[in-house]
Amino acid sequence: MFVPSCVMPVMRRTNMLRTVVRRMSQHRFILPQASFDREYLLNPANAPSIEANIQHRKGIGDIRRVQTIHQQLVAGTALPESERTKLATELEAEMAKIPNRTHPLVLEYGNEPRVLKRFNEQHKRTDRKYFQFSDICKKMNLYRMENLGNFTGHRSYYLTDELAELEHALINYAVERLHRRNFQLITVPDLLPDRIIESCGMSVHGERNQVYKLNGGSERESLCLSGTSEMALAGYVAGRVIPTEKLPYKLMAVSRCYRAETSALQEEKGIYRVHQFTKVEMFAVCNRAQSATVLEEFRDIEVSLFDELGLHFLLLDMPACELGAPAYRKYDIEAWMPGRGMYGEISSCSDCTDYQARRLGIRVEPEATETASPETNFAHTVNGTACAIPRMLIALLENFQNEDYTITVPEVLRPYMHGKQFIRRRKVLPELKLTKRLLQEESF
């Protein structure tokens, strides 16, 4: 094919651009090396308190093993380089298992959460029989969960018609309220490197964990389905220094969450505990002096969201044994679910201090009174659930169902549902009658 000479330079530039883009797309983001608090962890005087903290939290870390490996490295200066490298790698892996410290007040709670406040007790419905979520949805023809094992797998579901509208109303309601609080909305990936997930405090190893791994990747660089957008948001700021004027740097995301967990408990049947669901997540990066205040802000946002919906719920300060590895302190919110006759967790928020930041290299600019030391400018991170859809749907449908098989839509959600005040029973011709009618029509 003849190509005019004037077109050749354009084609060459286009081909060069394609090559650059292709190389950029193949480039792997290199996470910074984790930076543990060695001064604290490797000091033998701290071993008893660290060990007690691990026991309180039912953690898996072994501080004695950490310090033994460190002593071997210090004493073994004559060891071959390969042996020292192996010990150093093992030391990093063992330090990564040590959980965060625990807020001293929480240690006083024993193994039970502290109920800080009860909200809307006048709305606790016990006056009559209330259907469980799955039962009322079946009567209203609004969802499907049965016979999906060979299609989408165990514990999956379809939401249809007005129930699907209610899901999106909840998302829009939460996102709009967070916008008012100056959160920045970010769309995040569902696939994440396993190190991002581990750095956020969730294990990806062993047969019994909550993480779905994708087949085909190397063991060193495997990709996983994200369990919560908290992980993707933490990855978004990994390796960055957040300017002081941006702090606290508040982000939100709407994403699908994937959990391999399962449960045989009767109270957790239906969509209470599922393998994939939609969630609106809050995430903040702040300095050391701000994280406790930001945690209180997240807690108050969650309380406000559920209070406006008219739900009866409890605000809990969780004991050490209920804290995941990253959390220094965690609040849970449990809503009354009259169909189940129990309180169920619908939200939580956690102050992770510098646990995630040290593993992902998230830093803030040092304050004017501080020196620019790498140890002092690690950020603190805080996360919280603004709206986890399945649990919220359970709470709404069990609390606001009427005796005529309708659901009253909370007033604050009506603008997001075209002004609908009620969700009504969807009339569907029963499958058996439909089959009979079709057979009759074919016989004519």
Side-chain angles (χ1 to χ4, degrees), residues 33-82:
Q33 181 79 14
S35 180
F36 300 104
D37 189 350
R38 289 171 174 264
E39 184 178 345
Y40 173 69
L41 293 174
L42 302 180
N43 185 345
N46 295 329
S49 61
I50 295 173
E51 199 166 46
N53 183 54
I54 293 170
Q55 292 173 353
H56 282 306
R57 298 168 68 106
K58 299 182 180 178
I60 61 171
D62 186 345
I63 191 60
R64 302 292 179 182
R65 179 65 182 151
V66 167
Q67 297 190 353
T68 297
I69 298 171
H70 173 63
Q71 290 164 6
Q72 290 174 343
L73 274 169
V74 172
T77 53
L79 288 173
E81 189 62 30
S82 60

Side-chain angles (χ1 to χ4, degrees), residues 147-162:
N147 303 318
L148 296 178
N150 294 328
F151 179 46
T152 55
H154 176 59
R155 287 187 179 267
S156 55
Y157 58 92
Y158 282 90
L159 305 179
T160 61
D161 298 290
E162 290 170 314

Side-chain angles (χ1 to χ4, degrees), residues 201-218:
M202 186 175 285
S203 174
V204 300
H205 302 291
E207 294 183 4
R208 295 183 65 84
N209 62 63
Q210 298 183 36
V211 179
Y212 284 111
K213 279 189 175 182
L214 271 64
N215 295 326
S218 68

Side-chain angles (χ1 to χ4, degrees), residues 328-344:
Y328 174 70
R329 190 175 195 177
K330 181 166 81 86
Y331 295 113
D332 275 11
I333 290 179
E334 294 187 355
W336 175 245
M337 300 176 176
R340 284 169 163 70
M342 57 170 267
Y343 290 95

Side-chain angles (χ1 to χ4, degrees), residues 188-350:
V188 298
D190 291 336
L191 293 177
L192 297 174
D194 56 3
R195 192 186 147 191
I196 290 282
I197 292 175
E198 284 190 299
S199 298
C200 289
M202 186 175 285
S203 174
V204 300
H205 302 291
E207 294 183 4
R208 295 183 65 84
N209 62 63
Q210 298 183 36
V211 179
Y212 284 111
K213 279 189 175 182
L214 271 64
N215 295 326
S218 68
E219 184 64 27
R220 187 181 174 193
E221 295 182 334
S222 59
L223 289 174
C224 306
L225 289 172
S226 176
T228 167
S229 57
E230 167 202 340
M231 300 168 180
L233 293 171
Y236 177 73
V237 293
R240 292 171 57 183
V241 178
I242 309 301
T244 301
E245 62 269 17
K246 280 193 171 185
L247 301 179
Y249 186 33
K250 298 189 292 187
L251 307 173
M252 63 171 159
V254 181
S255 74
R256 293 292 281 178
C257 305
Y258 301 88
R259 309 278 177 89
E261 63 188 344
T262 187
S263 171
L265 297 176
Q266 178 67 17
E267 60 266 25
E268 295 187 351
K269 71 175 185 177
I271 68 168
Y272 188 89
R273 192 174 298 280
V274 288
H275 289 316
Q276 52 184 308
F277 59 95
T278 302
K279 183 165 68 132
V280 182
E281 183 76 1
M282 302 180 288
F283 185 83
V285 179
C286 53
N287 62 37
R288 290 178 298 162
Q290 294 172 322
S291 63
T293 302
V294 173
L295 177 66
E296 304 301 310
E297 180 186 359
F298 277 29
R299 180 199 66 188
D300 293 345
I301 288 172
E302 292 171 354
V303 165
S304 174
L305 287 169
F306 309 136
D307 189 30
E308 285 189 61
L309 289 170
L311 293 171
H312 165 52
F313 59 91
L314 310 178
L315 174 62
L316 309 174
D317 196 0
M318 301 308 289
C321 62
E322 295 291 339
L323 302 181
Y328 174 70
R329 190 175 195 177
K330 181 166 81 86
Y331 295 113
D332 275 11
I333 290 179
E334 294 187 355
W336 175 245
M337 300 176 176
R340 284 169 163 70
M342 57 170 267
Y343 290 95
E345 181 190 342
I346 59 171
S347 183
S348 67
C349 55
S350 302

Side-chain angles (χ1 to χ4, degrees), residues 142-194:
L142 290 174
Y143 106 130
R144 178 185 168 192
M145 197 172 185
E146 289 77 16
N147 303 318
L148 296 178
N150 294 328
F151 179 46
T152 55
H154 176 59
R155 287 187 179 267
S156 55
Y157 58 92
Y158 282 90
L159 305 179
T160 61
D161 298 290
E162 290 170 314
L163 191 57
E165 288 183 40
L166 184 59
E167 173 182 28
H168 286 276
L170 282 166
I171 293 170
N172 291 328
Y173 163 68
V175 167
E176 184 178 299
R177 293 303 193 274
L178 294 181
H179 265 307
R180 296 178 187 176
R181 301 273 193 148
N182 299 316
F183 282 78
Q184 178 185 343
L185 179 62
I186 293 183
T187 298
V188 298
D190 291 336
L191 293 177
L192 297 174
D194 56 3

Side-chain angles (χ1 to χ4, degrees), residues 104-114 116 317-320 329:
L105 185 63
V106 170
L107 292 174
E108 300 174 8
Y109 296 166
N111 293 327
E112 295 296 325
R114 179 71 55 87
L116 299 181
D317 196 0
M318 301 308 289
R329 190 175 195 177

